């Protein structure tokens, strides 16, 4: 069995728009190991959601996806027909979306929508499907599971609906789950519960989990590895410890300065901000995407496209012209200044 | 962190404020880019001009019966009787069809417009009052609308006309008093949407009188809906009048109502098909033009509604 | 849910009563109903006899309640022209109109719903433009002209269908098409708009992400939601269609309620006229009520609280 449940190389998405060609995802490469949680972090519009849709092949019809490699459990996804893809979706890999309030069909019961997921891909009977649905509902922490099957989505709260979505994603025992901002639309108190639930389930079922979020703080306790995205590119990738202890890319450093991290941020310290706005992703863009907002930008940052380079430790990569020593020095200077 | 110049960055990224056209320019662009709107407007204006200039455009008197010249087919027919003197031929009583068609346009346009005005006033009043005041007023308005919707329009119109007597005025009033329901429904929901917006609340807080609020705050914002419904109902009125005249309960002979012309030709249509084809096409084009115009106005003023 | 039904029923009854009042007072539009009934060549004697027979000399309020009371028992009085009970004549001709309406509805739905769905799946494609063209043409074409044109082409030139009478089901084909075409544009547009809206919702995205096959997503998930307003609209439009059947029935000489209405108006048969308007109105009200109930039943958010 391959080590990696998902292997992505040079994934790009192009969308024709009135003003030209939009490139919301540019040459993304990453992988997810069996049973690990990869968090993809970035601000709104950086392309992280489109990346997940690209993997699932659920992009809008006008969009074009290209990839040098796109493999799920060693199986090539890029050339698959829609029928073959449909056999994989919900089955070998599933997805959880951001808005639980609108992600369920209001005309059918919870039970109907749960069992449907299983019956589509397996030769099970209705009774067996219902049994599994009840078992999973209990696993995701819903009480009175058997009775819930007969309820309609509008009778459940947002948090409950998201739990149902998680259960639905697990119905066929997938190898990979992509969770696109699963807690953003929920109350803060529920957010932590859902995240812990995801982490527990992921560990129990040994599924790979891609957690997409804009909230770096959310990620610190749940992710094994983190990929930071900015303006359609992955700008840094490493283990959670590497990213939080020794961020190499100026953007990541800036992000960490923006959020209070318990144990790291001193009381009374100023929270940073990153001035400027994201560059337009229409048409060709030369050089580093972050150059206009980077405090260390130089002429050569804009000259040519920046490639990923290795960080100080193994498994740590980042997209910058600065060497690991230089970035570490910048980090120290920043921390001292606060 | 060093501070970067945001404006500089924004400009480098192709900042929007340099590229946005004015609202007027946008509207003009949308209008002229919309084929349906333009076609509808052009055809409608043409028919309108033809109707107004009918006394000068019509080659003959539309009421003039010349029985020796009856049932002449239009010029493009391969028939010895066809003549350029009667481009669209003549009917069973020897009346020039082109002339009748031109004068018939007057009837359709007049009735359509007048009925639309009457029903527009009634319906908009009911709708706006119901939408603005809500509560009991709304309940009563809804009841009235539902009652009106429960009555078969054509049947009631025919019955009333048969009892009161048919004339142009009667037809206009009967139609006007019957087709106001869509005005009421649409204006009611449009008013309800606008009523809760902040600028209305601030006008109320300033102590503006209700009529003033209705006229200066609410109406300008629902005028788009009004225009769209007006076109729909004008087309509706035109078709209804044609149907009534077709059944003999509308405009009476010898008036050249297009519906009446079709009715008069009904018995002859198997051999003189053009007699029903020509007025029918005229009706079709007029109503089509009005519908295209209405659709166009709706698209142009609310493009978010389109796919 | 029960309270909802009750409230709707109450409104329906109230509307029906109001309509009955309007329908009843309609005959006074001509001034003296006895004169209208008697006709042109009537003597003063005839008029007085009619006035006496129909009770037009009584106070209006009394007349109304008497008429209403009897109507509720199914007695609509006597047809002046046919010398038969109005109720008998109406219920004799009603099934024909119902049949015509049903055929027309089936035709309309079979044409408009699939077209609307196809147009929504491929917006701005050929099928979308065809669908919209059909809708635009349908809305602009007077039904009586369409009926005559159909009669001309299918009945006379190609001789595939009979043009008058109501003896066999073939007689109903052209009228059904002419009548059904009247509601096709509205239903098609609503289906298309509804499908377009539903297809862009999150739960359709979820259905696709579950790996459900396209037909399942389209019909079981999308159409099931998009069809809800269409059902109400179809029910209401069915009512309008029946009102418009007067034109179609007279053209094709179909012996239904519309034709009867037409004849009785020509003959100034006031009791018959009143009864037909009332019957049709009550039918509309019932249809609207059913449409409301259907709406509630199809949408679990209203049904299950």
């Amino acid at each position: 069995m391959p080590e990696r449940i998902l292997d992505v190389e040079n994934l790009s998405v192009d969308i024709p728009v009135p003003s030209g060609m939009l490139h919301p995802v540019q040459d993304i490469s990453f992988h997810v190991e069996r049973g690990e949680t990869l968090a993809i972090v970035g601000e709104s519009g950086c392309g992280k959601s489109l990346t997940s849709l690209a993997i699932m092949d659920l992009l809008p019809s006008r969009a074009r996806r290209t990839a040098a490699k796109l493999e799920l459990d060693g199986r090539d996804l890029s050339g698959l027909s829609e029928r073959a893809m449909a056999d994989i979706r919900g089955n070998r890999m599933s997805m959880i979306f951001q808005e639980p309030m609108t992600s369920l069909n209001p005309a059918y019961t919870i039970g109907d929508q749960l069992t449907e997921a299983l019956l589509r891909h397996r030769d099970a009977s209705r009774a067996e499907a219902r049994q599994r649905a009840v078992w999973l509902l209990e696993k995701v922490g819903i009480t009175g599971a058997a009775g819930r099957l007969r309820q309609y989505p509008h009778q459940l709260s947002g948090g409950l609906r998201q739990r149902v979505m998680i259960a639905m994603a697990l119905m066929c025992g997938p190898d990979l789950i992509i969770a696109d901002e699963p807690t953003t639309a929920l109350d803060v108190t529920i957010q932590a519960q859902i995240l812990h639930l995801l982490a527990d389930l992921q560990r129990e079922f040994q599924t790979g989990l891609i957690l997409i979020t804009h909230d770096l703080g959310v990620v610190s306790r749940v992710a094994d590895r983190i990929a930071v995205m900015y303006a359609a590119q992955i700008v840094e990738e490493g283990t959670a410890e590497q990213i939080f202890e020794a961020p190499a890319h100026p953007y990541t450093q800036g992000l960490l300065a923006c959020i209070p991290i318990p144990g790291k941020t001193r009381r009374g310290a100023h929270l940073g901000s990153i001035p400027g706005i994201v560059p337009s992703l229409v048409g060709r863009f030369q050089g580093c995407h972050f150059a206009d907002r980077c405090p260390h930008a130089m002429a050569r940052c804009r000259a040519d496209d920046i490639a990923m380079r290795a960080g100080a430790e193994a498994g740590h990569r980042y997209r910058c012209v600065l060497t690991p020593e230089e970035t570490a020095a910048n980090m120290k200077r920043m921390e001292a200044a606060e | 962190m060093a501070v970067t110049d945001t404006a500089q960055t924004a400009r480098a990224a192709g900042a929007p404020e340099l590229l946005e056209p004015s609202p007027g320019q946008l509207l003009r662009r949308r209008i002229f880019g919309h084929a349906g709107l333009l076609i509808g407007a052009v055809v409608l204006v043409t028919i309108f001009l033809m109707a107004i200039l009918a006394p000068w455009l019509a080659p003959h008197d539309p009421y003039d019966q010349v029985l020796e010249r009856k049932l002449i087919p239009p010029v493009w027919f391969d028939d010895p009787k066809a003549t350029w003197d009667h481009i669209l031929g003549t009917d069973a009583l020897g009346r020039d069809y082109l002339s009748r068609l031109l004068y018939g346009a007057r009837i359709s346009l007049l009735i359509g417009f007048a009925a639309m005005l009457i029903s527009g006033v009634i319906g908009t009043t009911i709708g706006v009052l119901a939408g603005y005041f809500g509560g009991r007023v709304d309940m009563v308005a809804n009841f009235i609308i539902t009652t009106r919707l429960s009555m078969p329009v054509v049947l009631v119109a025919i019955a009333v006309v048969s009892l009161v007597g048919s004339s142009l005025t009667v037809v206009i009033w009967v139609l006007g008093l019957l087709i106001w329901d869509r005005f009421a429904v649409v204006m009611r929901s449009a008013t309800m949407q606008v009523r809760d917006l902040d600028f209305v609340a601030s006008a109320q807080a300033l102590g503006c009188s209700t009529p003033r609020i209705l006229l200066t705050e609410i109406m300008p914002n629902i005028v788009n809906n009004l225009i769209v419904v007006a076109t729909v109902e004008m087309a509706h009125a035109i078709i209804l009048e044609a149907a009534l005249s077709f059944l003999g309960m509308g405009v009476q002979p010898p008036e050249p109502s297009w519906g009446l012309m079709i009715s008069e030709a009904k018995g002859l249509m198997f051999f003189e098909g053009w007699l029903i084809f020509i007025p029918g096409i005229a009706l079709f084009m007029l109503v089509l033009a009005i519908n295209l115009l209405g659709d166009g106005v709706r698209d142009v003023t609310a493009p978010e509604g389109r796919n | 849910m029960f309270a909802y039904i009750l409230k709707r029923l109450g409104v329906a009854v109230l509307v029906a009563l109001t309509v009955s009042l309007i329908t009843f007072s309609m005959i006074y539009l001509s001034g003296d109903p006895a004169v209208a009934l008697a006709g042109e060549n009537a003597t003063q004697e005839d008029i007085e006899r009619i006035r006496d027979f129909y009770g037009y000399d009584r106070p209006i309020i009394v007349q109304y309640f008497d008429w209403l009371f009897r109507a509720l028992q199914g007695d609509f009085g006597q047809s002046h022209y046919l010398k038969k009970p109005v109720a008998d004549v109406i219920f004799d001709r009603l099934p024909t109109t119902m049949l015509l309406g049903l055929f027309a509805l089936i035709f309309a739905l079979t044409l408009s719903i699939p077209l609307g769905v196809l147009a929504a799946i491929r917006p701005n494609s050929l099928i979308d433009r065809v669908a919209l063209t059909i809708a635009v043409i349908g809305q602009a074409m007077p039904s009586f002209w369409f009926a005559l044109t159909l009669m001309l082409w299918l009945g006379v030139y190609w001789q595939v269908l009979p043009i008058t009478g109501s003896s066999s089901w073939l007689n109903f084909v052209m009228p059904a098409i002419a009548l059904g075409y009247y509601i096709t544009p509205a239903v098609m547009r609503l289906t298309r708009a509804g499908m377009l809206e539903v297809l862009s919702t999150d739960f359709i995205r979820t259905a696709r992400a579950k790996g459900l096959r396209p037909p399942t997503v389209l019909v079981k998930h999308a159409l099931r939601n998009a069809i809800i307003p269409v059902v109400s609209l179809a029910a209401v439009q069915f009512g309008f269609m029946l009102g418009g059947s007067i034109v179609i029935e007279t053209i094709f000489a179909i012996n239904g309620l519309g034709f009867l209405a037409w004849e009785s108006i020509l003959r100034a048969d006031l009791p018959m006229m009143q009864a037909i308007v009332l019957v049709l109105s009550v039918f509309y009200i019932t249809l609207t009520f059913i449409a409301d109930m259907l709406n509630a039943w199809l949408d679990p958010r209203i049904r299950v609280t």
Side-chain angles (χ1 to χ4, degrees):
Chain A
M1 282 213 303
E3 264 290 292
R4 300 178 169 190
I5 192 66
L6 182 71
D7 208 345
V8 177
E9 250 175 59
N10 297 113
L11 174 68
S12 296
V13 174
D14 307 304
I15 306 180
V17 291
S19 44
M21 188 65 90
L22 181 67
H23 306 288
V25 177
Q26 296 175 18
D27 277 334
I28 303 274
S29 299
F30 64 93
H31 65 273
V32 182
E33 315 252 328
R34 212 169 276 283
E36 83 164 346
T37 301
L38 169 75
I40 300 184
V41 181
E43 56 193 83
S44 316
C46 72
K48 49 194 200 297
S49 287
L50 278 175
T51 303
S52 60
L53 290 176
I55 298 171
M56 294 278 283
D57 200 14
L58 285 175
L59 291 166
S61 49
R62 286 167 303 143
R64 294 275 157 270
R65 169 189 80 174
T66 51
K69 193 199 237 187
L70 184 60
E71 284 179 8
L72 178 71
D73 202 6
R75 185 176 171 188
D76 181 30
L77 293 181
S78 49
L80 287 186
S81 67
E82 176 59 28
R83 289 199 83 179
M85 250 339 264
D87 286 336
I88 293 183
R89 284 191 218 117
N91 186 6
R92 301 258 52 84
M93 74 176 165
S94 24
M95 192 156 169
I96 302 168
F97 297 97
Q98 179 175 348
E99 309 89 347
M101 294 305 277
T102 49
S103 291
L104 289 166
N105 193 327
Y108 294 101
T109 59
I110 305 289
D112 209 325
Q113 298 184 55
L114 282 170
T115 53
E116 177 185 47
L118 184 66
L119 293 170
R120 156 69 175 97
H121 297 286
R122 299 278 186 279
D123 243 334
S125 71
R126 282 199 184 277
E128 288 168 339
R130 250 178 272 134
Q131 246 181 331
R132 181 162 172 88
V134 169
W135 185 72
L136 277 174
L137 283 180
E138 283 168 355
K139 275 264 173 244
V140 298
I142 295 184
T143 54
R148 296 283 189 187
L149 287 189
R150 277 189 302 271
Q151 284 190 317
Y152 286 91
H154 70 272
Q155 293 172 290
L156 280 76
S157 70
L160 278 180
R161 285 188 221 192
Q162 196 62 309
R163 289 175 196 263
V164 169
M165 294 295 292
I166 296 174
M168 201 153 71
L170 290 167
M171 279 302 279
C172 293
D175 300 317
L176 175 72
I177 296 181
I178 305 176
D180 188 356
E181 309 242 29
T183 58
T184 308
L186 300 172
D187 283 339
V188 175
T189 47
I190 313 282
Q191 280 185 18
Q193 291 177 19
I194 300 288
L195 282 171
H196 278 142
L197 175 65
L198 275 173
D200 291 340
L201 288 170
Q202 184 255 318
R203 242 172 286 129
E204 176 173 347
F205 293 109
Q206 279 298 295
T207 47
L209 175 66
I210 299 181
L211 181 62
I212 298 177
T213 175
H214 62 269
D215 191 346
L216 202 49
V218 143
V219 143
S220 55
R221 270 164 294 178
V222 181
D224 296 313
R225 286 173 40 249
I226 300 176
V228 179
M229 271 187 81
Y230 180 79
Q233 291 177 325
I234 289 186
V235 296
E236 187 163 355
E237 192 189 341
T239 65
E241 197 181 348
Q242 287 164 350
I243 299 288
F244 277 95
E245 298 294 321
H249 194 278
Y251 176 60
T252 320
Q253 294 174 343
L255 274 186
L256 282 168
C258 295
I259 56 169
I261 299 179
K264 287 199 95 217
T265 320
R266 288 194 314 276
R267 266 191 187 290
H270 288 287
L271 285 178
S273 65
I274 308 178
I277 61 172
V278 184
S280 164
L281 294 170
V282 179
R284 270 295 284 132
F285 190 100
Q286 190 141 313
C288 174
H289 290 189
F290 189 61
D292 283 337
R293 304 168 77 182
C294 182
H296 316 292
M298 300 171 274
R300 59 186 166 120
C301 296
R302 296 193 175 84
D304 223 342
D305 289 341
I306 319 287
M308 286 287 244
R309 70 186 300 154
E313 293 177 15
H316 189 182
R317 309 182 300 151
Y318 64 102
R319 195 184 294 271
C320 188
V321 298
L322 301 173
T323 64
E325 298 75 31
E326 286 169 331
T327 64
N330 285 335
M331 189 71 196
K332 284 216 180 56
R333 232 176 286 133
M334 207 164 66
E335 282 173 346
E338 280 161 12
Chain B
M1 277 268 191
V3 174
T4 345
D5 183 17
T6 321
Q8 205 174 53
T9 316
R11 238 170 278 138
E17 83 251 19
L18 302 173
L19 306 172
E20 276 287 305
S22 73
Q25 277 181 307
L26 262 178
L27 189 66
R28 223 170 300 142
R29 215 181 278 178
R30 279 200 213 127
I31 290 178
F32 284 103
H34 196 288
L37 177 64
L38 291 176
I39 296 177
V42 165
V43 173
L44 187 58
V45 166
T46 312
I47 296 182
F48 181 69
L49 285 174
M50 288 195 332
I52 295 228
L53 300 174
W56 293 276
L57 290 174
H60 298 268
D61 181 336
Y63 306 100
D64 197 18
Q65 302 179 14
V66 186
L67 289 166
E68 300 80 32
R69 289 185 153 205
K70 68 175 184 188
L71 297 177
I72 297 179
V75 269
W76 60 81
F77 271 57
D78 195 14
D79 188 302
K81 281 193 292 181
T83 159
W84 281 97
D85 197 24
H86 295 285
I87 299 181
L88 292 182
T90 60
D91 66 3
L93 294 177
R95 298 176 290 198
D96 179 46
Y97 234 39
L98 176 60
S99 310
R100 284 182 73 74
L101 201 70
L102 289 173
Y103 275 86
R106 296 182 150 203
I107 295 176
S108 291
L109 285 171
L110 177 63
I111 294 185
F113 193 72
M116 177 263 280
L117 270 181
I118 295 175
S119 59
V121 168
I122 299 175
T124 306
T125 313
I126 295 181
V128 170
L129 289 178
Y132 187 72
F133 291 109
R136 292 245 172 87
V137 177
D138 193 21
M139 252 173 39
V140 169
N142 274 334
F143 184 76
I144 297 177
I145 295 173
T146 313
T147 307
R148 158 49 261 280
L149 281 175
S150 304
M151 305 186 63
V153 174
V154 175
L155 200 49
V156 170
I158 298 177
V160 169
V161 168
S162 75
L163 291 169
V164 176
S166 58
S167 73
L168 205 65
T169 325
V170 169
V171 172
I172 290 177
W173 277 100
V174 168
L175 290 180
L177 289 169
L178 277 174
I179 62 175
W180 51 263
D181 52 284
R182 191 183 297 235
F183 278 107
V185 169
V186 172
M187 299 314 274
R188 173 180 171 272
S189 60
T191 306
M192 289 197 313
Q193 283 175 2
V194 173
R195 158 190 78 176
D196 295 326
L197 295 179
D198 287 338
F199 61 85
V200 174
S202 47
Q204 289 167 330
L206 281 172
C208 289
S209 69
T210 306
R212 193 187 149 129
I213 294 181
L214 286 177
L215 275 172
T216 59
E217 309 287 344
I218 306 265
M219 278 307 286
N221 286 289
I222 55 179
V223 153
N224 303 338
N225 305 65
L226 185 59
I227 294 179
V228 175
V229 180
T231 59
V232 171
E233 290 308 314
M234 182 166 167
H236 192 199
I238 291 176
I239 293 194
L240 276 177
E241 179 273 316
L244 285 179
S245 304
F246 175 77
L247 290 173
M249 286 297 163
V251 172
Q252 295 295 313
E255 299 303 321
S257 152
W258 291 343
L260 192 56
M261 284 163 73
I262 296 181
S263 172
E264 288 167 350
K266 203 172 46 190
L268 301 160
M269 72 175 186
F270 299 136
F271 294 107
E272 278 91 21
W274 81 85
L275 286 175
I276 63 162
F277 184 72
I278 291 176
I281 283 285
L283 266 171
F284 174 68
M285 290 208 314
L286 175 57
V287 172
L288 185 64
I290 298 177
N291 282 340
L292 284 176
L293 186 64
D295 281 353
V297 168
R298 186 196 58 213
D299 290 343
V300 154
T301 55
E304 316 82 45
R306 291 289 277 165
N307 40 310
Chain C
M1 176 68 178
F2 194 56
Y4 181 76
I5 298 180
L6 224 58
K7 188 173 138 202
R8 282 267 167 266
L9 204 54
V11 171
V13 168
L14 228 63
V15 172
L17 281 174
T18 315
V19 169
S20 73
L21 192 61
I22 298 175
T23 315
F24 177 77
S25 15
M26 223 171 49
I27 60 170
Y28 284 92
L29 277 172
S30 62
D32 190 344
V35 170
L37 264 183
E40 289 178 338
N41 301 316
T43 64
Q44 193 59 28
E45 246 178 39
D46 295 329
I47 296 178
E48 289 309 317
R49 210 179 342 115
I50 290 173
R51 201 195 303 280
D52 190 48
F53 179 73
Y54 283 100
Y56 289 142
D57 46 353
R58 297 171 297 168
I60 297 190
I61 300 285
V62 174
Q63 286 185 49
Y64 170 62
F65 279 106
D66 185 46
W67 176 76
L68 184 64
F69 194 58
R70 290 202 216 185
L72 286 171
Q73 295 172 352
D75 176 15
F76 290 107
Q78 181 94 322
S79 158
H80 175 74
Y81 190 80
L82 295 170
K83 301 284 184 271
K84 282 201 296 192
V86 166
D88 289 350
V89 183
I90 289 185
F91 290 110
D92 189 40
R93 308 253 219 147
L94 188 61
T96 313
T97 302
M98 290 296 138
L99 205 62
L100 175 62
L102 199 64
F103 280 5
L105 186 67
I106 292 175
F107 166 72
L109 292 181
T110 317
L111 180 64
S112 51
I113 294 184
L115 257 183
V117 171
L118 282 171
I121 301 177
R122 299 183 198 289
N124 299 318
S125 67
L126 180 66
I127 188 87
D128 191 15
R129 293 190 206 282
V130 165
L132 281 178
T133 309
I134 292 183
V136 160
I137 291 182
Q139 278 172 321
M141 200 151 54
S143 62
F144 60 90
W145 184 62
F146 183 49
L148 288 175
T149 312
L150 272 181
M151 200 189 249
L152 203 58
W153 286 98
L154 293 179
V156 178
Y157 290 161
W158 294 339
Q159 303 235 342
V160 283
L161 291 168
I163 53 179
T164 53
S166 31
S167 42
S168 84
W169 67 270
L170 278 174
N171 281 300
F172 284 84
V173 174
M174 272 197 293
I177 295 178
L179 194 57
Y181 200 56
Y182 180 62
I183 70 169
T184 302
V187 174
M188 196 228 70
R189 281 194 165 178
L190 191 61
T191 308
R192 177 181 178 276
M195 280 298 283
L196 272 177
E197 201 192 302
V198 168
L199 284 172
S200 65
T201 56
D202 291 340
F203 61 83
I204 292 297
R205 183 182 54 178
T206 306
R208 290 206 188 108
K210 283 202 293 203
L212 296 177
R213 279 185 255 265
T216 316
V217 175
L218 205 61
V219 178
K220 181 177 174 194
H221 286 264
L223 193 57
R224 171 68 175 75
N225 281 281
I227 210 77
I228 298 176
V230 175
V231 166
S232 313
L233 180 75
V236 168
Q237 294 278 32
F238 182 59
F240 291 163
M241 222 170 36
L242 289 186
S245 75
I246 185 174
V247 171
I248 303 294
E249 285 185 21
T250 47
I251 292 178
F252 289 98
I254 294 202
N255 243 345
L257 210 58
F259 198 28
L260 180 64
W262 169 231
E263 292 172 315
S264 37
I265 286 172
L266 274 183
R267 302 189 286 239
D269 193 344
L270 299 178
M272 185 74 84
M273 266 169 59
Q274 276 181 313
I276 295 179
V277 176
L278 185 64
V279 165
L280 274 178
S281 302
V282 168
F283 194 68
Y284 276 18
I285 296 172
T286 316
L287 267 177
T288 323
F289 179 71
I290 293 178
D292 270 344
M293 294 300 112
L294 267 172
N295 217 1
W297 179 67
L298 284 171
D299 189 345
R301 285 171 288 195
I302 303 179
R303 183 185 6 139
V304 183
T305 340

